[in-house]
Amino acid sequence: MDKLKNSGFYKLRFFITPEEFRSLLPLFEQRQAQFYRTNAARTEHDYDQVYEEYQTFYQYFVTGEKRDDIHPFFVYSISIASDEESSGFFVRNEGVSFPYHGQWAEDELPCILLSFPKGFQVNLEDEEGKYYIYEDIREHKPATYAFFDEIRGSIKKMTKPLRFSAFDADAMKEQKPSVRISHDAVHDLSQSWIFGKYGLVTQANRRGTK
């Protein structure tokens, strides 16, 4: 069981506007963070390219009409290196499922998952042979964890939990996914093709109809 003690990931799921996303990039620049595609070549993107990729991903979901010619994704491994340590974390797009008349909708709402492993693998050996355990990543990579926590804190300051209502089997039911969203992103998403297609309603929508 010791092997699993520090397994898993620190996570944050969020959806913010491209401009809000760009406001985070100077924090990465200060740490000289490098963004790599998770392809075989590990293609490196500069900050402008990362911003453009996020903007393309965001716009696909907030436009009024769905595009069938593209399906953008946003996936990067982020490398952080300093004199003290070398490590990194991961960002990738995910989908938020929701009900639609008694079944899951064929489309999903967008979000970005920011993740960082909780454990640091330590290789050991005893009389029975080689094995490994996971020790607390915060003890082995304190600077990287502190930076991850800084990014996570910055995102939390500009967001709140996503809450919306969707058609369940027989009535509208509030959905409470573990996703944080900014005020402006809620507004944009509420005007999108996916909200229109499935009749989704946010608290802001309801207030606007009174």
Side-chain angles (χ1 to χ4, degrees):
M1 291 301 292
D2 283 342
K3 187 183 291 187
L4 303 177
K5 184 177 179 182
N6 294 296
S7 63
F9 293 83
Y10 295 105
K11 297 178 180 180
L12 180 67
R13 292 179 174 86
F14 65 94
F15 192 63
I16 57 179
T17 69
E19 290 308 307
E20 290 165 336
F21 178 81
R22 181 150 62 180
S23 73
L24 299 172
L25 292 178
L27 298 176
F28 288 96
E29 194 167 7
Q30 290 169 14
R31 301 299 198 287
Q32 297 182 321
Q34 295 172 296
F35 286 75
Y36 294 97
R37 281 295 198 190
T38 57
N39 53 19
R42 292 195 79 233
T43 306
E44 183 176 358
H45 279 189
D46 62 30
Y47 296 119
D48 288 337
Q49 289 173 306
V50 172
Y51 167 73
E52 289 169 3
E53 289 290 315
Y54 185 81
Q55 187 176 44
T56 299
F57 171 78
Y58 184 89
Q59 290 299 329
Y60 172 82
F61 288 98
V62 302
T63 55
E65 186 173 343
K66 183 180 181 180
R67 292 182 59 180
D68 294 324
D69 58 326
I70 61 170
H71 190 76
F73 63 95
F74 187 81
V75 183
Y76 287 101
S77 62
I78 303 173
S79 177
I80 314 292
S82 67
D83 293 337
E84 297 81 25
E85 62 189 57
S86 177
S87 188
F89 39 92
F90 195 64
V91 290
R92 65 180 172 89
N93 57 282
E94 285 196 343
V96 180
S97 300
F98 57 89
Y100 186 61
H101 295 303
Q103 57 187 2
W104 292 113
E106 64 177 1
D107 297 298
E108 295 177 321
L109 292 177
C111 73
I112 298 295
L113 171 65
L114 176 71
S115 64
F116 183 57
K118 293 181 177 180
F120 180 83
Q121 184 174 318
V122 177
N123 297 313
L124 301 170
E125 186 172 2
D126 59 17
E127 63 278 0
E128 296 182 5
K130 294 181 179 181
Y131 68 103
Y132 65 90
I133 62 172
Y134 285 121
E135 294 186 351
D136 192 335
I137 193 73
R138 294 172 294 183
E139 296 177 4
H140 290 270
K141 305 289 184 179
T144 308
Y145 173 79
F147 179 50
F148 173 86
D149 200 44
E150 180 183 4
I151 296 297
R152 181 171 57 177
S154 296
I155 294 170
K156 283 186 173 183
K157 286 180 181 178
M158 65 176 74
T159 58
K160 61 181 181 180
L162 171 61
R163 298 291 179 262
F164 65 98
S165 294
F167 285 102
D168 209 336
D170 53 7
M172 292 291 281
K173 185 176 181 181
E174 186 176 40
Q175 307 298 307
K176 299 180 179 180
S178 58
V179 177
R180 298 184 67 87
I181 190 167
S182 70
H183 176 272
D184 289 346
V186 168
H187 176 269
D188 290 347
L189 203 56
S190 69
Q191 310 297 315
S192 69
W193 62 266
I194 193 168
F195 263 60
K197 179 178 179 179
Y198 294 100
L200 304 180
V201 179
T202 66
Q203 291 177 344
N205 291 148
R206 286 196 290 268
R207 286 196 297 269
T209 59
K210 291 182 178 179

